[in-house]
Every structure is written in structure tokens, then in C-alpha cells.
Amino acid sequence: MPSPSLRALGLFAYYEELVDTWTRRLRDRHQAEDLTQDAMLRMLETSTVPQQPRAYLHQTARNIAIDGFRQQGGRESVTLDVLETLPAISGDPVANLHAVQLAGRIEQALAELPLKCRQVFVWQRLDGCSQQEIADRLDISKNMVEKYMIRAMRHLRERVGSLDQH
């Protein structure tokens, strides 16, 4: 097993990627940096070296974000980017019901959008496709992809709102 200092050097290859990913999701670079540092610290504290350190770091960061959300009571407004980090099933039946209701509101709001607008949102936010990939798939310009995404996000914010609305 490599020494902790050698493992730490290997982790820095993923630092900016994690910070960038979580800055987009949380819309706060300082929070993203804290989250990334916590994930790296947890990995350094493990006694075994994961086979896929990049995946381990991303999953650890996701778990830390979820834990932070739960500690805050889950009652504050959350950006739509973070919705993919919410657990599908937890031990708390109230949280599960809340998640099912939220998923239903999102599904209903997405269904109200035109097909191309809905496809852009799903492919970019859930599948992680780039704007250029989506533009190529739909045979439209990148500018049009941006316009569809803005329309979808605006519509979802209006229809879904924050997590504390029932």
C-alpha cells in the first residue's frame, strides 16, 4: 500500500475536476472546495486503496453533500443540479415520501416542455452530454441548445420551486 503522502499526490490529479463539478452543482466554489477537501481527506483516512480512486472521490463527495443537506433539515431551496445527488431510498419514510413527491413534480414539469427542450435538459443534466453533443444529436446550433436549456431551467424553477413546497 502506498504511503499516505504518495496517495495524496495521486489524488491531486482529481482535485480540479471535483471542484469544477461541485461548483457547477452547488453554485458556490468555496463550498465545492470544502467538499472536495473533505472527500480527499476521507480517502486518505481509509486503510485500503480503492481500485477506482476517481469514482470513489466522486461518490464520497456526493455522500458528503447528501449528509450536509440532511443535517440542514432538507428544507431549503436546492438547485436542480443537486437533485441527482439525492438518494433514491433512505431509512426515513418521510424523506422517501418527500423525494417521491418531488420526483413527481419534476416529471410533471418536464412533461409540460416541448420534446426538444426536454431532451436537452435530460441529456445535459442527467446524462452529462456536452452542448456540442446535444447540438449534433438534434441537428441544431449550440446557441439553440443553450436557449432550450435556459427555457427548461426557468420552467422547472417556476413549477418545482424549492424542496419545502408540498
Side-chain angles (χ1 to χ4, degrees), residues 101-124:
Q101 290 172 339
L102 176 62
R105 289 196 319 258
I106 292 170
E107 185 177 9
Q108 181 180 9
L110 284 173
E112 295 167 354
L113 291 169
L115 178 61
K116 283 188 178 182
C117 193
R118 187 171 51 240
Q119 287 173 319
V120 167
F121 177 84
V122 170
W123 287 342
Q124 187 170 7

Side-chain angles (χ1 to χ4, degrees), residues 13-162:
Y14 307 111
Y15 181 82
E16 282 303 319
E17 176 184 344
L18 277 168
V19 169
D20 290 345
T21 297
W22 286 97
T23 297
R24 282 191 310 274
R25 290 182 177 175
L26 300 173
R27 302 195 190 281
D28 184 335
R29 182 159 179 94
H30 295 294
Q31 272 188 315
E33 288 172 345
D34 289 345
L35 185 69
T36 299
Q37 291 168 8
D38 289 345
M40 290 188 161
L41 181 62
R42 284 191 189 179
M43 185 167 170
L44 287 172
E45 291 173 341
T46 63
S47 58
T48 60
V49 178
Q51 290 180 353
Q52 298 178 345
R54 180 177 175 265
Y56 179 89
L57 283 169
H58 279 277
Q59 185 61 48
T60 300
R62 186 175 295 114
N63 292 343
I64 293 169
I66 291 168
D67 290 346
F69 175 73
R70 285 181 181 157
Q71 287 175 353
Q72 294 172 358
R75 294 278 186 221
E76 66 183 42
S77 179
V78 175
T79 64
L80 293 169
D81 297 348
V82 179
L83 293 178
E84 68 191 52
T85 67
L86 294 175
I89 299 175
S90 71
D92 181 4
V94 174
N96 286 341
L97 176 63
H98 187 65
V100 168
Q101 290 172 339
L102 176 62
R105 289 196 319 258
I106 292 170
E107 185 177 9
Q108 181 180 9
L110 284 173
E112 295 167 354
L113 291 169
L115 178 61
K116 283 188 178 182
C117 193
R118 187 171 51 240
Q119 287 173 319
V120 167
F121 177 84
V122 170
W123 287 342
Q124 187 170 7
R125 295 296 179 171
L126 303 180
D127 294 345
C129 295
S130 70
Q131 288 183 347
Q132 188 60 55
E133 290 171 321
I134 296 168
D136 292 343
R137 282 185 188 181
L138 294 175
D139 195 29
I140 59 176
S141 68
K142 275 180 60 175
N143 188 33
M144 199 64 213
V145 171
E146 290 175 22
K147 287 180 181 180
Y148 280 137
M149 192 62 185
I150 290 168
R151 180 178 178 185
M153 294 298 291
R154 186 174 294 137
H155 181 74
L156 287 169
R157 281 190 195 104
E158 289 171 2
R159 299 286 289 136
V160 175
S162 66

